[in-house]
Amino acid sequence: MNSAAVWKELEARARMANPRRITQLFDDDPARGPAFSVAALDMLFDYAKTNIDRETRAVLLDLARSSGVVRQREKLFSGAPVNSTEGRAVMHWALRLPKDAVLQVDGVDIVRGVQATLTRMDRFATAVRSGTFKGQGGKISDVVNIGIGGSDLGPAMAVPALAPYHDGPRTHFVSNVDGAHIADTLRGLDPTTTLVIVASKTFTTLETMTNARTAKAWMAAAVAAPAAQFVALSSATEKAAEFGIPAERVFGFADWVGGRYSLWGPIGLSLMLAIGPTNFHRFLHGGAAMDAHFRSAELLDNMPVMLALVGIWHRQICGYPTRAVLPYSQRLARLPAYLQQLEMESNGKSVTMAGTELELPSGPVVWGEPGTNCQHSFFQLIHQGTDVVPCEFMVAARGHEPDLAAHHTLLLANCLAQSEALMKGRSYDTARALMVDKGFAGAALEQQTGHRIFAGNRPSTTLMFPQLTPEMLGQIIALYEHRVFVEGVILGINSFDQWGVELGKELAVALAPVIRGETPADDLDGSTRNLVAYLRQTDGKNT
Ligand code: F6P
């Protein structure tokens, strides 16, 4: 079957699946649990609680084949310019290649370059952590990473995720151009023992450069040589030099590392400072292990491929517009935000590789919060709202708090209970019996029963892993990166550009002088002109 025929077949299968109960699939197929799961690298990805049957899965695998997933995967790992709109290779995975790997692209020894930068990062992090590298007031006590998007979300997610391994300086993240962010962060910090990292691939991003200048002024007020406590992480090394950061503290990376894929290299410096080079390398090994799995496993046994196919089934075939990511892990609280950029900046596009309009829905809205907190906020809607929200649960088999094992048991029980409840629901008969037990009768019984029915049949997947170690975090992040890639290939879009963020940035540059009152508001649309008028009346004019 060609790709168009496969899509048609899948649509037909979705119509067939629509009235079917997921529980029925378990009744029909006693082996469904293990058969609809992928075990790899100590992780278990369970997708049995979805309405995918064996035939549908076979067609989804056909879709992956006919869309060229295997061919594109080879292209990705060959260093070919798969980011065609920017004419770039996509090689963030090379940042986690083992030292002895061999990778030459266009005559350049990629591994050597990556390892050279990594060694510089290791040395610098060791110097800071040991106190050999000092601030003017002594050993560095605090690190402030200034960056946004991919230059923030990766380390801002990973540092709390790996809190049990955090034995370096305190780490803070400033991203928002809202002055409140930097003000609240710097308040209470000692500039003489603070290291400021300016993380920006382009070194031009408005938010980051504004915050970097503010941090420099803050440092200059207390320290004779403020630039001595600044570090730059960037592809634009000359711009970092113009900002006054000396070359020995500029950590560069190539343009084949996309912003939202950049945690594995210099952008991960704040993470390395927090957990140390050894643990950072463990994180890289985890990512590399997932790369090896993705490159070699058969499609059916391939975790990123199956995760992607389940995603395609729910979004493009069944039409569910959003997907919730629910880590049952307080330390992964920032993972949903990280995945929002990774997935939505990559696959939130309505144009194909060829520049034509995408005839399918783009990637879904991704959102979420850690469990069990989410159960007390939006789970009402997930269980009883009118929209189906496929849920992606994830949880570690054990925590890092052996003395609090009872907490972890409850965490696990809640995670499992939610996916079960979503699938099974509660029927009219069961709900009615419960209300009878509570003493309701007549019209009140019917009314109370109605509120307690759960339609069920709501799909979810669960990713389980032994413990949230640096290796495991590396595996999880690489798993999601490859999932995004596979979904992008199937949709026929370029997952590696982000033209959709440009327009708003351009308009903001033009609006700043209007808000300052330097240029007239006359050419603005009526709504924006009205909003500007309000700002002027309320003295919201900034200079
Ligand atoms: O908002 C778009 C974006 O370009 C992201 O893709 C990127 O991660 C972020 O801005 C930050 O960019 P930079 O690292 O160049 O400051």
Side-chain angles (χ1 to χ4, degrees):
M1 267 197 282
N2 66 25
S3 195
V6 178
W7 283 108
K8 274 212 150 33
E9 169 71 16
L10 284 167
E11 279 157 22
R13 299 209 65 84
R15 282 192 295 275
M16 237 162 62
N18 198 28
R20 178 177 65 193
R21 303 289 302 178
I22 301 172
T23 46
Q24 183 65 47
L25 294 172
F26 283 91
D27 295 343
D28 296 348
D29 183 355
R32 182 170 173 85
F36 283 73
S37 67
V38 181
L41 310 172
D42 293 340
M43 293 203 270
L44 182 69
F45 169 59
D46 173 281
Y47 59 97
K49 292 189 186 93
T50 66
N51 214 324
I52 297 173
D53 59 22
R54 285 181 191 257
E55 294 74 30
T56 301
R57 180 171 67 185
V59 185
L60 284 167
L61 288 164
D62 275 350
L63 178 68
R65 281 184 212 103
S66 59
S67 310
V69 166
V70 173
R71 196 176 54 247
Q72 290 303 323
R73 181 181 63 185
E74 282 322 302
K75 262 178 113 172
L76 174 82
F77 286 108
S78 73
V82 294
N83 176 357
S84 58
T85 55
E86 296 181 312
R88 291 177 186 163
V90 174
M91 296 203 297
H92 50 273
W93 48 269
L95 298 172
R96 51 202 188 221
L97 278 175
K99 247 209 233 37
D100 54 359
V102 178
L103 178 68
Q104 299 264 350
V105 177
D106 297 333
V108 179
D109 184 339
I110 301 292
V111 180
R112 208 164 120 205
V114 165
Q115 289 299 322
T117 304
L118 199 52
T119 304
R120 287 185 59 223
M121 287 170 64
D122 287 357
R123 288 202 187 118
F124 181 68
T126 303
V128 171
R129 286 163 54 84
S130 66
T132 318
F133 177 94
K134 289 185 174 44
Q136 191 157 301
K139 188 173 174 182
I140 296 296
S141 58
D142 294 88
V143 172
V144 178
N145 185 85
I146 297 178
I148 198 162
S151 298
D152 165 71
L153 286 164
M157 171 275 297
V159 168
L162 298 178
Y165 305 86
H166 191 153
D167 55 2
R170 290 183 290 265
T171 314
H172 314 265
F173 294 91
V174 175
S175 49
N176 202 324
V177 76
D178 182 349
H181 202 178
I182 192 149
D184 289 351
T185 306
L186 297 185
R187 189 180 308 118
L189 296 191
D190 177 355
T192 69
T193 58
T194 296
L195 181 75
V196 176
I197 298 176
V198 185
S200 176
K201 179 174 170 181
T202 55
F203 230 74
T204 57
T205 304
L206 172 112
E207 292 92 333
T208 301
M209 298 325 296
T210 305
N211 281 322
R213 283 190 292 271
T214 299
K216 204 169 170 191
W218 170 78
M219 186 80 85
V223 166
Q229 283 169 234
F230 268 70
V231 172
L233 318 173
S234 186
S235 297
T237 46
E238 71 300 339
K239 292 205 173 73
E242 280 163 30
F243 187 80
I245 303 179
E248 74 263 22
R249 284 196 309 286
V250 177
F251 298 87
F253 52 99
D255 68 0
W256 41 255
V257 181
R260 52 193 174 273
Y261 299 87
S262 59
L263 170 62
W264 312 94
I267 294 295
L269 184 66
S270 52
L271 175 64
M272 187 191 267
L273 286 162
I275 64 173
T278 305
N279 283 321
F280 188 80
H281 284 253
R282 290 174 62 192
F283 168 70
L284 297 183
H285 291 156
M290 182 51 73
D291 295 336
H293 165 75
F294 176 53
R295 290 180 81 161
S296 60
E298 290 298 324
L299 298 187
L300 176 62
D301 304 319
N302 198 306
M303 205 177 274
V305 171
M306 291 315 298
L307 186 59
L309 290 178
V310 173
I312 294 278
W313 168 254
H314 286 146
R315 173 66 182 127
Q316 280 77 24
I317 316 285
C318 299
Y320 306 136
T322 83
R323 171 159 51 77
V325 180
L326 308 164
Y328 271 59
S329 163
Q330 187 54 33
R331 294 197 176 109
L332 287 177
R334 295 289 283 156
L335 184 69
Y338 174 82
L339 293 180
Q340 281 180 325
Q341 188 199 14
L342 181 65
E343 301 203 26
M344 296 202 275
E345 199 167 83
S346 297
N347 289 344
K349 290 163 191 166
S350 52
V351 60
T352 67
M353 277 281 194
T356 56
E357 200 182 323
L358 183 70
E359 285 171 11
L360 297 156
S362 68
V365 173
V366 176
W367 57 289
E369 273 289 309
T372 56
N373 294 20
C374 54
Q375 295 175 196
H376 301 270
S377 53
F378 52 75
F379 263 51
Q380 165 62 42
L381 180 146
I382 288 194
H383 283 288
Q384 285 189 317
T386 50
D387 284 305
V388 173
V389 180
C391 293
E392 271 174 25
F393 293 93
M394 63 177 81
V395 68
R398 60 178 187 281
H400 282 86
E401 295 72 30
D403 300 346
L404 300 174
H407 285 243
H408 204 76
T409 303
L410 293 176
L411 184 74
L412 285 164
N414 272 277
C415 181
L416 291 172
Q418 291 299 331
S419 64
E420 218 186 353
L422 285 166
M423 176 176 70
K424 290 184 175 166
R426 186 195 277 150
S427 67
Y428 169 84
D429 289 345
T430 312
R432 193 170 187 280
L434 279 171
M435 292 306 99
V436 168
D437 281 353
K438 287 214 183 294
F440 287 103
L445 172 61
E446 287 312 308
Q447 186 217 7
Q448 293 293 340
T449 299
H451 289 280
R452 283 158 177 86
I453 295 169
F454 290 65
N457 221 25
R458 303 206 160 191
S460 70
T461 61
T462 302
L463 179 71
M464 281 196 168
F465 46 91
Q467 196 180 31
L468 190 58
T469 59
E471 288 89 350
M472 200 49 65
L473 185 68
Q475 289 179 23
I476 293 170
I477 301 305
L479 165 66
Y480 273 84
E481 286 179 352
H482 294 318
R483 174 257 189 92
V484 166
F485 170 74
V486 173
E487 289 195 5
V489 169
I490 291 174
L491 295 178
I493 60 178
N494 180 4
S495 300
F496 301 106
D497 59 14
Q498 56 284 318
W499 301 109
V501 301
E502 297 301 327
L503 181 57
K505 286 186 192 173
E506 284 163 26
L507 295 185
V509 170
L511 276 165
V514 178
I515 293 167
R516 285 196 293 264
E518 294 163 8
T519 52
D522 308 347
D523 291 342
L524 300 175
D525 65 82
S527 160
T528 312
R529 208 168 47 232
N530 193 35
L531 292 166
V532 170
Y534 171 87
L535 288 177
R536 290 193 175 150
Q537 269 162 26
T538 51
D539 205 18
K541 203 167 84 173
N542 295 292
T543 48

